[in-house]
Amino acid sequence: SSFASQTYTARAAGFANDLAVQLLKLMDRKKTNLSIAADVTSKAELLQLADLLGPYICVFKTHIDILDDYDSSVPEALTALAEKHDFLIFEDRKFADIGSTVKAQYQSGVYKIASWAHITNAHPIPGEGIVHGLKEVGLPLKRGLLLLAEMSSKGTLAQGKYSMDTLAMAARNRDFVFGFIGQRRLPLDEPEKEDFLYLTPGVSMAQSGDSLGQQYRSPEQVVLESGCDVIIVGRAIYGAADPVAEAKKYQEAGWNAYLQRTRR
Ligand code: S5P
């Protein structure tokens, strides 16, 4: 598509959400379209990953509720590391309730996600109220939202019309929604009217899946063939003997695929 053939920086002007503009520019500046899915259960491990891998990533993705020893020092330390290494924090919360409830879940509770996560995400399943509820909290804080248009897992119900309706929901809320969790740029065959960012999990160069339905593709398949923008890599990096060496490999593979895609 026409957007996928442009550089991240060139595309920044087409986004209404400030955070998307920030992310697009930071990717070209750091030469990385790699996001780490830091699915570890202790705060020491989480912060160590952020500090070690920070130089090679554009987005640090968390599941903050899997930490056994969470306390409010964690978001503080993560924020400092985000500034030190120039990356954005994405809490992969996958909100999925009515607008009024997700608003409270985003703002309040133990984690107070809106106060520290630049990016979070939501399932479109409840209807557009979920976006409006999250927006009331997130927009004044200059946050951004991703909608789950597709999933990487086997048998996912998020496909076909559901994914296309998700695209339409995002298009009506471009001030806050700047992209998707998805497996390919949508729509595939029409010229796109509006640009969105696609962040794609289910990436590994070594495995084809796990025992619980996860399905993996390579950085080339994701960025070059499917036109997605950010590769999200979890166990293939933090589970390796040398996570830094592995992160460098994925950064290079993702970046080369992007260079090939944008070559004129
Ligand atoms: O469709 C999806 C959406 C997400 S956000 N499939 C996914 O796997 N994820 C997340 O990406 C998942 O919650 C996990 O944090 C990460 C994939 O981890 P990996 O270890 O399989 O790379």
Side-chain angles (χ1 to χ4, degrees):
S1 84
S2 57
F3 290 122
S5 67
Q6 295 171 23
T7 65
Y8 296 131
T9 306
R11 289 165 58 191
F15 281 79
N17 179 272
D18 289 344
L19 202 66
V21 174
Q22 218 178 299
L23 175 56
L24 283 159
K25 291 181 177 171
L26 121 66
M27 287 196 281
D28 273 339
R29 184 167 66 236
K30 270 180 93 171
K31 298 196 186 333
T32 179
N33 53 18
L34 172 64
S35 169
I36 172 81
D39 295 343
V40 293
T41 53
S42 82
K43 59 182 178 185
E45 280 176 285
L46 186 78
L47 297 176
Q48 194 191 13
L49 280 177
D51 205 12
L52 280 176
L53 306 182
Y56 314 104
I57 61 171
C58 56
V59 171
F60 189 78
K61 189 177 85 62
T62 56
H63 280 303
I64 206 71
D65 59 353
I66 66 176
L67 289 181
D68 288 322
D69 54 355
Y70 176 86
D71 64 63
S72 61
S73 72
V74 175
E76 245 172 75
L78 270 183
T79 302
L81 290 168
E83 280 163 21
K84 176 180 174 190
H85 295 298
D86 193 18
F87 61 74
L88 296 179
I89 306 169
F90 168 19
E91 165 57 18
D92 185 4
R93 173 61 178 77
K94 295 188 181 71
F95 292 103
D97 214 322
I98 61 166
S100 164
T101 301
V102 295
K103 209 179 143 177
Q105 290 173 321
Y106 188 24
Q107 186 160 43
S108 309
V110 173
Y111 303 113
K112 308 185 195 329
I113 293 164
S115 73
W116 54 270
H118 302 105
I119 305 167
T120 192
N121 56 356
H123 285 293
I125 188 95
E128 202 160 329
I130 190 169
V131 175
H132 296 158
L134 293 170
K135 197 198 288 198
E136 283 186 17
V137 173
L139 209 54
L141 295 168
K142 298 191 190 303
R143 304 308 190 199
L145 183 70
L146 301 170
L147 291 178
L148 285 114
E150 295 181 322
M151 292 195 73
S152 60
S153 39
K154 194 165 188 243
T156 175
L157 305 182
Q159 51 168 300
K161 183 178 186 299
Y162 180 98
S163 305
M164 294 312 292
D165 289 349
T166 307
L167 182 65
M169 191 186 289
R172 290 190 294 269
N173 293 279
R174 283 181 59 81
D175 51 349
F176 190 46
V177 181
F178 67 90
F180 306 100
I181 296 295
Q183 295 294 306
R184 59 195 53 77
R185 273 191 91 80
L186 307 166
L188 284 175
D189 8 59
E190 300 165 29
E192 295 161 280
K193 292 183 200 72
E194 286 156 324
D195 196 4
F196 287 102
L197 273 168
Y198 287 75
L199 284 72
T200 303
V203 177
S204 171
M205 297 194 272
Q207 308 289 323
S208 64
D210 68 8
S211 61
L212 297 171
Q214 177 67 298
Q215 305 176 115
Y216 291 120
R217 293 183 302 155
S218 69
E220 291 73 23
Q221 285 174 302
V222 167
V223 175
L224 206 50
E225 291 170 28
S226 301
C228 296
D229 300 302
V230 173
I231 54 170
I232 300 176
V233 185
R235 284 165 285 184
I237 291 179
Y238 71 76
D242 185 347
V244 170
E246 218 55 29
K248 287 181 185 173
K249 267 192 231 171
Y250 280 88
Q251 178 190 3
E252 199 185 324
W255 197 252
N256 283 338
Y258 161 70
L259 288 181
Q260 243 179 289
R261 192 177 88 184
T262 52
R263 188 170 297 149
R264 273 141 240 268

